Amino acid sequence: MPETSTPASESHAPAPTTREAARRLAPQLPRLSPGDLAQLRRLDPDEALTTAYWKLWAEHLVVLNLPAETTREEHERRWAIVLAAMARLVTRSGTQGRILHNKGVPIGRALAAAGYSELRLDRLFRADGEGLADEVRRLASFLSSKAVAGDLSDLAELVIHQQGDRAEKVRRSIARAYFSHQPSTTKEP
């Protein structure tokens, strides 16, 4: 579904897309204080959102257009899911942090490389609402445990656009990348 025009700012520049916003946010997370990062990791999108969330929202997300199928509150909830997942993908070594984000590696390919099971992928694609929040949390923890980076903007697209043609397009793109990087299961005679 196309995103509607309801930007919160008076800027004449076009609002960034979900993909652009996610790619701008990802490198910001390792720069956060340990306390803010911990707040984001523990975010529950159905509870009161934290100050760490609102600081990032004000700086990066307030200008986004709402997807046509969501309310402002649901949009904020979905971004909370994305930010919690991104925060789980930040690794620290001393005072230095980095995020497992690589815009050159589709998330489907990263999942395949990490050994993410087809069953888990199927559950991810079938989930919505709270179930999707749980699956995305598991996915982020899995990638973090394997130290595998992927394009987190694919994950943002999956969470933000949960219905309609755009949602189906995102799922298909992730599936194509996943299955094109799986070992062949057919055996030659």
Side-chain angles (χ1 to χ4, degrees), residues 159-171:
V159 173
I160 302 301
H161 305 286
Q162 294 182 24
Q163 293 115 13
D165 293 341
R166 185 138 176 211
E168 184 61 25
K169 182 179 176 182
V170 170
R171 286 179 179 92

Side-chain angles (χ1 to χ4, degrees), residues 138-182:
R138 287 182 193 112
L139 179 151
S141 294
F142 181 84
L143 286 177
S144 180
S145 73
K146 302 292 184 176
V148 175
D151 189 346
L152 299 181
S153 69
D154 293 339
L155 194 57
E157 289 275 339
L158 179 70
V159 173
I160 302 301
H161 305 286
Q162 294 182 24
Q163 293 115 13
D165 293 341
R166 185 138 176 211
E168 184 61 25
K169 182 179 176 182
V170 170
R171 286 179 179 92
R172 286 175 184 259
S173 174
I174 293 170
R176 279 187 209 102
Y178 177 90
F179 286 104
S180 67
H181 290 86
Q182 288 286 81

Side-chain angles (χ1 to χ4, degrees), residues 1-179:
M1 291 242 148
E3 295 183 13
T4 60
S5 294
T6 56
S9 74
E10 294 295 319
S11 172
H12 295 287
T17 65
T18 299
R19 187 168 297 282
E20 291 166 341
R23 285 181 176 165
R24 289 178 188 167
L25 270 168
Q28 302 305 314
L29 270 68
R31 298 180 184 142
L32 296 176
S33 72
D36 282 352
L37 203 53
Q39 277 187 15
L40 291 176
R41 285 185 179 123
R42 290 189 308 263
L43 262 182
D44 180 342
D46 294 321
E47 300 294 323
L49 299 175
T50 65
T51 55
Y53 169 86
W54 288 114
K55 287 188 270 187
L56 289 169
W57 179 85
E59 190 173 340
H60 299 281
L61 303 175
V62 71
V63 297
L64 292 178
N65 292 328
L66 290 174
E69 78 275 1
T70 63
T71 64
R72 165 91 35 218
E73 291 76 20
E74 180 61 18
H75 194 239
E76 291 166 353
R77 181 187 171 285
R78 290 178 183 184
W79 272 105
I81 295 167
V82 172
L83 286 172
M86 286 181 164
R88 289 173 187 274
L89 291 162
V90 173
T91 60
R92 288 217 185 262
S93 175
T95 59
Q96 297 295 315
R98 78 176 197 91
I99 189 164
L100 295 171
H101 168 68
N102 181 341
K103 70 179 185 177
V105 178
I107 200 74
R109 184 185 315 164
L111 292 171
Y116 199 71
S117 75
E118 290 179 26
L119 179 62
R120 285 182 175 188
L121 187 66
D122 191 49
R123 282 195 315 243
L124 177 71
F125 288 162
R126 292 179 187 275
D128 62 5
E130 178 140 348
L132 183 60
D134 292 341
E135 291 302 323
V136 167
R137 188 176 311 112
R138 287 182 193 112
L139 179 151
S141 294
F142 181 84
L143 286 177
S144 180
S145 73
K146 302 292 184 176
V148 175
D151 189 346
L152 299 181
S153 69
D154 293 339
L155 194 57
E157 289 275 339
L158 179 70
V159 173
I160 302 301
H161 305 286
Q162 294 182 24
Q163 293 115 13
D165 293 341
R166 185 138 176 211
E168 184 61 25
K169 182 179 176 182
V170 170
R171 286 179 179 92
R172 286 175 184 259
S173 174
I174 293 170
R176 279 187 209 102
Y178 177 90
F179 286 104

